[in-house]
Amino acid sequence: MPEAPKILSDSADFINGIVVENNNKVLKFIEDVTADADEVQRQVLSEILSRSANVEYLQRYGLDGCTDRETFKKVIPVVTYEDLKPDIERIANGDTSPILCSQPISEFLTSSGTSAGERKLMPTIEEELGRRSLLYSLLMPVMSQFLPGLDKGKGMYFLFVKSEAKTPGGLVARPVLTSYYKSSHFKNRPNDPYTNYTSPKETILCLDSYQSMYSQLLCGLFQNEDVVRVGAVFASGFIRAIQFLEKHWSLLCKDIRTGTIDSKITDPSVREAVMKILKPNPKLADFVEAECSKGSWKGIITRLWPETKYIDVIVTGTMSQYIPALDYYSNALPLVCTMYASSECYFGINLNPLCSPSEVSYTLIPNMAYFEFLPVTRKDELTGSISEPTALNDKEKQQLVDLVDVKLGQDYELVVTTYAGLYRYRVGDILRASGFKNKAPQFNFICRKNVVLSIDSDKTDEVELQNAVKNAANQLLQYEASLVEYTSYADTSAIPGHYVLFWELSVKDSTLIAPSVFEDCCFTVEESLNSVYRQGRVCDKSIGPLEIRVVENGTFDMLMDFALSQGSSINQYKTPRCVKYAPIIELLNSRVISSYFSPKCPRWTAGHKQWCTQN
């Protein structure tokens, strides 16, 4: 297997011009590992299975220590989270025997995909941090092929940690990025010019979202002439930062002018870290004030950070809805999606980072995990979602293909086998094979299977939405009213975005239903949604109050007529539970007769509900 490039640890290496040499090593590694992709995959699977030969899960299915692909595929089932849930709960409750992995489970990574309204728990091991760090180390050498000089400036990245919990067995459960930012791999990273950020680590690790955002913006503004790239994880998060600046720029200017920090920033470690950077700078304060007080915020990024070459954010999948806002704020700077990763595994990188967002493709790095691909067919063009049966029959299992055998233009569901104890696990991401880098395929991210609504990191599927709507609509029965039909969409015309439900009602006397009844319905829907959604509403403030728009009677008949006019079959038509096609949204909005918002935030606490009851 090609040897991974070593991450440099001596700042003198960079001073002496080793950056170019290190970049070349990284590019050669990518070349080698993709050229020999099938052999690397064979070795990865053999290594995983050799290590885990004695784990309970593999013994349960009779693998008997075999490490070849043929036997593995014959005896090990293709599974979903629900299949693994009993084993994962055993680990969470304190069972330390080798159930899924021969190495000790170091923590759980909480997935933004949910199970029964709660975050999924992905087991991980300590060495996975090194594997994630490796993928990060590939990004900037690739980027530097297209934009030289990135090592001469700083990155202004808005990075945040989220709350964590402990399982009954004492293991930490937290999002994958929180795990990485709190690890020594990030906190004690080498003095690398490519990871030279304007935000001190203390500002990133601050749990208070206001203090973290404020202090990161303050440091970014103070070092504005050094900034050559800006970004966040998701496009939505970066836009929230700009709108935070729009709201608080006068306070930030005051701090820059006086060299002090606003009294609302109370975290002592944050104040100390920022004060090491901040000095009185009236000239800079005047400049920022002049730009922010102008009537238009068009191009504000390039106006305040004039050396910025690109924005580094995820704009694929549901995040594509934020592209117009990013273009407005940046004067259409390049939008760069650098990598593809999840809680289950880090997958690959974008080797053509300056491509248009609609053309982003990721090359899967063959030594990250063992990859298989389940062919799928898109069935619902109105929503863009894919619904496939949870359980696979024997014929469907045989359809899974290896990394090097995917066909261009075909859509696949990604299936992974990881070093941390997932075997033939269906990730739920739908990818389209778009090309090859040597023998390694490249994929466009199409969508998340079964997800109908998403604003930020939340993912709401059709079943969950149906149950939430049912809970709310039951409140109308006492007023002799009932829900005839409904659909939804994610409204991101303002930040934060919010869920919108279109309801068509059968009502005996509409005057009997007070607005507060519909507001209670909004709140009931939110209370019924998953913990990731509720955290976005309560803690992260990344999602706005849910809205119900009541439409005229006959609206959903008109929606069906429109779908039939676009070529849908009357025999196969069913009302889409989420709509994304602009003409359909326009039709629905033209029929709205009243609108209501959730009056308060739903309840949310860190951790799973069952942990709270056990504690």
Side-chain angles (χ1 to χ4, degrees):
M1 194 182 306
E3 184 178 353
K6 291 183 172 57
I7 301 171
L8 299 180
S9 59
D10 185 353
S11 60
D13 288 340
F14 295 102
I15 295 171
N16 294 330
I18 308 297
V19 170
V20 173
E21 182 182 336
N22 186 64
N23 287 356
N24 290 337
K25 286 180 180 178
V26 166
L27 298 176
K28 184 178 186 306
F29 167 75
I30 295 171
E31 197 70 30
D32 292 345
V33 82
T34 55
D36 207 14
D38 195 48
E39 176 58 21
V40 171
Q41 281 280 277
R42 185 193 66 77
Q43 292 180 35
V44 165
L45 181 62
S46 178
E47 185 177 4
I48 291 171
L49 298 182
S50 296
R51 288 184 182 187
S52 301
N54 296 319
V55 305
E56 180 184 323
Y57 184 85
L58 295 182
Q59 289 185 334
R60 187 184 304 160
Y61 293 104
L63 191 61
D64 294 330
C66 294
T67 61
D68 61 286
R69 279 194 260 208
E70 293 74 20
T71 307
F72 172 71
K73 292 188 175 191
K74 183 178 180 181
V75 304
I76 301 301
V78 179
V79 297
T80 65
Y81 184 81
E82 294 305 315
D83 299 315
L84 298 182
K85 197 172 180 181
D87 289 322
I88 287 173
E89 287 179 345
R90 283 172 58 194
I91 300 169
N93 288 327
D95 191 333
T96 58
S97 58
I99 299 171
L100 295 174
C101 185
S102 59
Q103 296 185 50
I105 301 301
S106 57
E107 63 180 318
F108 284 108
L109 304 177
T110 54
S111 170
S112 58
T114 63
S115 171
E118 295 297 333
R119 291 179 182 270
K120 295 177 182 177
L121 298 175
M122 294 298 162
T124 191
I125 56 179
E126 192 67 33
E127 76 169 47
E128 278 297 294
L129 283 165
R131 200 165 279 110
R132 290 176 219 139
S133 295
L134 165 64
L135 200 67
Y136 284 124
S137 74
L138 307 181
L139 303 180
M140 292 311 296
V142 169
M143 196 72 214
S144 293
Q145 295 178 103
F146 299 88
L147 291 173
L150 296 175
D151 57 324
K152 304 296 192 294
K154 295 184 177 184
M156 183 180 70
Y157 283 76
F158 300 104
L159 308 176
F160 304 93
V161 295
K162 294 193 176 184
S163 60
E164 56 190 45
K166 279 201 172 182
T167 70
L171 289 174
V172 173
R174 56 193 177 188
V176 61
L177 290 174
T178 298
S179 170
Y180 180 70
Y181 298 150
K182 288 192 168 186
S183 74
S184 60
H185 290 265
F186 180 79
K187 292 194 292 185
N188 303 325
R189 62 191 184 277
N191 187 15
D192 179 342
Y194 289 141
T195 58
N196 189 4
Y197 302 136
T198 57
S199 297
K201 62 188 178 187
E202 292 84 358
T203 65
I204 295 169
L205 297 175
C206 177
L207 259 178
D208 185 292
S209 59
Y210 177 91
Q211 294 188 58
S212 180
M213 179 73 84
Y214 187 95
S215 55
Q216 290 192 60
L217 262 172
L218 180 58
C219 292
L221 286 168
F222 191 78
Q223 302 169 83
N224 73 318
E225 293 184 353
D226 298 327
V227 171
V228 294
R229 53 197 173 102
V230 299
V233 177
F234 294 114
S236 55
F238 187 79
I239 292 174
R240 281 203 311 277
I242 297 304
Q243 298 212 328
F244 186 98
L245 173 63
E246 197 167 358
K247 187 175 181 180
H248 299 288
W249 61 262
S250 59
L251 282 176
L252 291 159
C253 285
K254 178 183 176 183
D255 287 353
I256 294 170
R257 190 180 307 281
T258 59
T260 58
I261 311 173
D262 189 74
S263 59
K264 288 183 181 178
I265 310 306
T266 58
D267 187 312
S269 65
V270 171
R271 294 186 68 89
E272 181 181 351
V274 173
M275 285 307 298
K276 290 178 180 177
I277 296 171
L278 199 60
K279 301 289 186 295
N281 191 335
K283 183 178 178 182
L284 175 60
D286 289 343
F287 167 73
V288 174
E289 186 174 35
E291 292 298 332
C292 292
S293 58
K294 289 179 179 176
S296 171
W297 272 56
K298 187 177 189 303
I300 193 67
I301 296 167
T302 49
R303 282 155 48 191
L304 292 178
W305 296 278
E307 301 302 317
T308 303
K309 300 177 186 295
Y310 66 94
I311 303 177
D312 186 351
V313 287
I314 294 172
V315 289
T316 51
T318 57
M319 288 295 126
S320 63
Q321 58 197 332
Y322 298 103
I323 291 173
L326 289 169
D327 286 343
Y328 175 81
Y329 287 126
S330 73
N331 276 334
L333 279 174
L335 303 177
V336 172
C337 301
T338 55
M339 66 183 289
Y340 170 40
S342 76
S343 303
E344 294 89 342
C345 177
Y346 278 26
F347 305 119
I349 61 175
N350 182 359
L351 295 179
N352 183 24
L354 293 187
C355 67
S356 137
S358 63
E359 297 173 354
V360 169
S361 67
Y362 300 103
T363 303
L364 297 200
I365 302 301
N367 65 338
M368 299 306 292
Y370 180 65
F371 301 113
E372 296 176 87
F373 301 87
L374 173 64
V376 297
T377 302
R378 299 185 75 188
K379 296 179 179 178
D380 192 346
E381 295 298 332
L382 276 174
T383 68
S385 66
I386 294 180
S387 296
E388 291 287 327
T390 300
L392 300 180
N393 59 38
D394 289 339
K395 182 180 178 181
E396 288 168 325
K397 289 175 186 174
Q398 292 170 7
Q399 292 177 346
L400 267 71
V401 298
D402 286 322
L403 182 68
V404 299
D405 295 325
V406 301
K407 303 287 190 239
L408 289 181
Q410 172 67 50
D411 288 359
Y412 297 95
E413 181 182 351
L414 180 60
V415 177
V416 296
T417 297
T418 71
Y419 286 89
L422 298 178
Y423 306 95
R424 308 197 84 189
Y425 179 84
R426 298 173 68 175
V427 173
D429 288 354
I430 306 301
L431 310 176
R432 179 171 297 155
S434 59
F436 282 86
K437 167 65 175 176
N438 295 321
K439 299 292 185 181
Q442 299 170 317
F443 295 93
N444 306 129
F445 179 90
I446 301 301
C447 66
R448 178 81 179 170
K449 188 182 66 176
N450 295 334
V451 170
V452 293
L453 285 172
S454 180
I455 293 290
D456 192 57
S457 58
D458 55 296
K459 296 179 177 72
T460 299
D461 65 30
E462 186 170 324
V463 173
E464 183 180 12
L465 180 63
Q466 171 73 32
N467 290 334
V469 168
K470 181 180 177 182
N471 290 341
N474 284 340
Q475 297 174 222
L476 299 177
L477 297 178
Q478 60 183 306
Y479 300 99
E480 297 186 77
S482 61
L483 182 63
V484 173
E485 198 54 276
Y486 77 93
T487 190
S488 65
Y489 90 106
D491 185 347
T492 57
S493 59
I495 301 296
H498 69 289
Y499 289 8
V500 174
L501 302 180
F502 293 98
W503 280 15
E504 182 175 325
L505 303 175
S506 172
V507 187
K508 182 177 181 181
D509 186 352
S510 60
T511 61
L512 296 177
I513 307 178
S516 60
V517 173
F518 288 108
E519 291 173 355
D520 288 344
C521 287
C522 292
F523 179 71
T524 300
V525 173
E526 292 198 302
E527 282 275 280
S528 303
L529 295 177
N530 62 70
S531 64
V532 183
Y533 174 89
R534 286 180 280 115
Q535 181 178 4
R537 281 280 284 121
V538 176
C539 184
D540 303 335
K541 308 299 183 186
S542 59
I543 303 172
L546 180 138
E547 179 184 6
I548 290 175
R549 297 178 187 172
V550 178
V551 297
E552 296 175 58
N553 291 113
T555 295
F556 281 85
D557 289 337
M558 294 176 66
L559 177 58
M560 181 179 69
D561 291 341
F562 179 86
L564 297 180
S565 74
Q566 299 296 301
S568 294
S569 165
I570 192 167
N571 295 319
Q572 296 179 327
Y573 176 82
K574 65 175 184 177
T575 302
R577 291 306 173 212
C578 175
V579 293
K580 300 176 183 178
Y581 188 42
I584 291 179
I585 296 171
E586 290 173 13
L587 185 157
L588 291 166
N589 279 327
S590 71
R591 304 276 294 177
V592 172
I593 54 179
S594 57
S595 175
Y596 311 92
F597 288 88
S598 183
K600 56 186 176 180
C601 287
R603 289 165 290 183
W604 175 81
T605 55
H608 283 215
K609 291 177 183 176
Q610 62 266 31
W611 304 349
C612 299
T613 56
Q614 286 180 13
N615 293 338

